[in-house]
Amino acid sequence: MCVIPFTISTAEVGVIETFGKFSRLAPPGLGFTICCIQDLVGRMSYRVQQLDVRVETKTLDNVFITAVVSIQFQVLQEKVYEAFYALSDPRRQITAHVFDVLRAELPNLELDSVFEAKEELALTVKGALSATMGKYGYQIMQVLITDLDPDQRVKNAMNEINSSKRLKYAVAERAEGEKILKVKSAEAEAEAKYLSGVGVAKQRKAIVDGLKSSIVDFTEGVKGTTSKDTLDLLLLTQYFDCIKDVGSDKRCKTTFIPASKTMGDNLRSSLIQAEMAK
């Protein structure tokens, strides 16, 4: 009897048939088949495999979109027989189920909702595949929707809409900032004027109090004078101080003091003032 040796790699299993009928599974390592009686008809890998599926369909708002779905699956060790003999092309089977689920779900969602529902769509696809492929010996490890790609014109339109919204928001924020600036400036100006008015009022009150005190002291100190005499004297003193300040200014050349009694004096004074102003 002649035997034929073979090897099975780690994380794989060999399928042995005797006269065309399933006989046994060969574990990793060195194995043998009987020549002309047994055959190593195939190998199954226990490694996690990945299949990428591109699905093109349209959404509820009639926008065509291409979805890229990555399916990670693995052969169940206890169901190697079903995985090998039940399906001739498991990748095509998985692809068909992905197309069926997504083309049933995406037309019920608008484009914006599709991006928000990626996780829900992935779970729906995973649930449908697990229920179908589990009985054929395949475990669906993970389903990921890795890309959602609408038509380029649709993407450009979405970018324009987003740009317009952001520009509108920026304009509103800038206007609000200018409004706050103007309000604060007006409030500051009002507060400054109020404080200035308070200062002027206090200054005038101090002047009045000083004049009052001076009048009382002068009236009491000089016998025979009245309050009116004292006030006239103070006003005359302030008048002379004013004339002194005006005359001592470096820009002052001539000071005209009104002292006319007739119309001719007024005319002469006016002519002189006009001549000096030239």
Side-chain angles (χ1 to χ4, degrees), residues 49-140:
Q49 304 175 60
Q50 178 165 314
L51 173 64
D52 294 328
V53 180
R54 296 180 65 87
V55 182
E56 184 178 9
T57 183
K58 72 173 184 176
T59 60
L60 183 62
D61 45 356
N62 295 319
V63 176
F64 279 89
I65 185 172
T66 300
V68 179
V69 185
S70 297
I71 302 97
Q72 298 172 355
F73 61 96
Q74 184 181 37
V75 175
L76 294 171
Q77 295 186 19
E78 64 274 14
K79 290 189 176 183
V80 175
Y81 178 87
E82 290 84 352
F84 187 80
Y85 287 102
L87 297 176
S88 61
D89 192 346
R91 288 178 172 266
R92 288 186 62 185
Q93 297 283 342
I94 293 174
T95 300
H97 282 289
V98 172
F99 269 82
D100 181 65
V101 173
L102 285 185
R103 286 183 172 174
E105 294 292 332
L106 288 180
N108 297 323
L109 300 172
E110 293 184 350
L111 181 61
D112 292 338
S113 301
V114 171
F115 287 93
E116 298 172 0
K118 283 179 60 178
E119 295 296 330
E120 291 79 0
L121 290 171
L123 291 175
T124 302
V125 174
K126 182 180 180 181
L129 288 176
S130 297
T132 303
M133 301 303 294
K135 60 185 178 182
Y136 296 122
Y138 288 90
Q139 179 184 8
I140 305 301

Side-chain angles (χ1 to χ4, degrees), residues 175-234:
E176 185 67 21
E178 293 177 355
K179 173 186 172 183
I180 293 174
L181 183 62
K182 290 181 179 179
V183 169
K184 292 299 181 182
S185 177
E187 290 178 354
E189 184 178 358
E191 183 69 18
K193 289 182 178 180
Y194 170 76
L195 295 177
S196 176
V198 171
V200 171
K202 289 182 178 180
Q203 180 185 20
R204 291 176 178 175
K205 184 176 183 302
I207 293 174
V208 171
D209 292 340
L211 290 175
K212 178 180 178 182
S213 176
S214 299
I215 291 172
V216 171
D217 293 342
F218 189 84
T219 303
E220 292 178 353
V222 181
K223 302 298 182 180
T225 59
T226 63
S227 297
K228 183 178 183 305
D229 296 334
T230 306
L231 183 60
D232 291 341
L233 179 61
L234 289 174

